[in-house]
Amino acid sequence: MIILTKKNHKTWVSFRFSDYFCKVKICIYWNTFKKNHLLTFQMEEVLNNRIFKSKVDYWIPLIISLAFIPTIVFSIIEQQYLVLVISTLFYSFIMISIFNIKYIICGNYLLIENKPIQSKRYNLCHLIQIQHTHDCISSPAASLDRIKLIFSKGEYIIISPQNQKEFIRQIQEINPNIRIMSQKATTQ
């Protein structure tokens, strides 16, 4: 769904992105070509600067590969093609999941996409604290260099965006009342 609205001589486009509405500011330029008006869009605010991929520690895919390679090699040697297909599909699924974790700041919401597994949305207005952590609890984070987002109802999520400083800065623009706890403060 695409909606065009005008506000302060700017045009906004709202579109459906990962089941949640986002707004992207655009400029409209009119070009004339043989008396036909062509509408071209040039993005002022690129949505990609609000999409953060998960940092991936090199050892995580390495350990997963070391676990699956012997099974795959054994199934080839023993001509166990069903085991080969199942192992290869499962290995591919895990690797795709690791390298496709994204954190999207969309309006007042943080959308965590972990394709093909799930997507989950969090309201950043309810975020009260961010802690730096190296906790190895299961979470949509492919690195141990993590941040823990704590929400007002006691809910939390642990994530590992590649550019943590920029990620935190953009969240603070939405909710400036967030407390940032350093690694030293969380270990005491």
Side-chain angles (χ1 to χ4, degrees):
M1 170 190 287
I2 298 177
I3 303 167
L4 288 173
T5 55
K6 287 198 172 214
K7 184 178 181 182
N8 299 336
H9 303 291
K10 298 270 183 184
T11 302
W12 286 85
V13 173
S14 298
F15 60 96
R16 205 155 175 90
F17 181 75
S18 298
D19 297 328
Y20 304 105
F21 283 102
C22 297
K23 288 188 175 178
V24 177
K25 207 184 308 180
I26 62 167
C27 285
I28 297 180
Y29 297 97
W30 290 94
N31 296 328
T32 305
F33 181 72
K34 294 184 180 179
K35 297 183 183 178
N36 292 330
H37 294 285
L38 301 174
L39 186 62
T40 58
F41 298 96
Q42 180 178 0
M43 299 248 183
E44 279 184 4
E45 181 180 322
V46 180
L47 188 61
N48 286 339
N49 68 357
R50 300 184 60 91
I51 296 176
F52 297 85
K53 292 187 108 183
S54 177
K55 182 187 275 187
V56 179
D57 285 344
Y58 71 92
W59 58 269
I60 293 174
L62 181 66
I63 288 175
I64 292 169
S65 297
L66 290 175
F68 276 96
I69 288 174
T71 305
I72 293 171
V73 170
F74 173 77
S75 61
I76 292 171
I77 292 170
E78 295 295 321
Q79 298 179 352
Q80 298 291 324
Y81 298 116
L82 181 62
V83 175
L84 175 65
V85 169
I86 292 171
S87 297
T88 304
L89 287 175
F90 194 61
Y91 174 73
S92 300
F93 177 78
I94 291 172
M95 295 306 266
I96 288 170
S97 297
I98 288 173
F99 288 102
N100 280 325
I101 300 171
K102 293 179 187 162
Y103 315 110
I104 303 166
I105 298 173
C106 182
N108 289 338
Y109 291 93
L110 171 65
L111 176 66
I112 299 175
E113 282 191 352
N114 190 4
K115 290 184 178 175
I117 299 173
Q118 70 176 6
S119 292
K120 190 153 184 191
R121 181 177 70 158
Y122 296 89
N123 189 338
L124 293 174
C125 294
H126 297 232
L127 182 62
I128 57 173
Q129 185 174 333
I130 298 176
Q131 292 179 352
H132 292 276
T133 184
H134 294 288
D135 194 351
C136 61
I137 192 168
S138 177
S139 64
S143 171
L144 288 181
D145 184 18
R146 300 172 165 194
I147 54 177
K148 183 177 187 178
L149 306 178
I150 303 172
F151 295 88
S152 59
K153 294 180 181 176
E155 185 179 26
Y156 71 89
I157 186 74
I158 297 175
I159 61 174
S160 62
Q162 283 180 346
N163 188 346
Q164 287 186 6
K165 288 182 182 179
E166 179 63 19
F167 180 82
I168 292 171
R169 187 191 66 74
Q170 287 197 18
I171 288 180
Q172 284 182 316
E173 285 179 9
I174 296 166
N175 185 350
N177 299 323
I178 300 170
R179 290 181 301 174
I180 309 294
M181 304 293 286
S182 68
Q183 181 66 29
K184 292 176 185 173
T186 58
T187 58
Q188 293 177 348

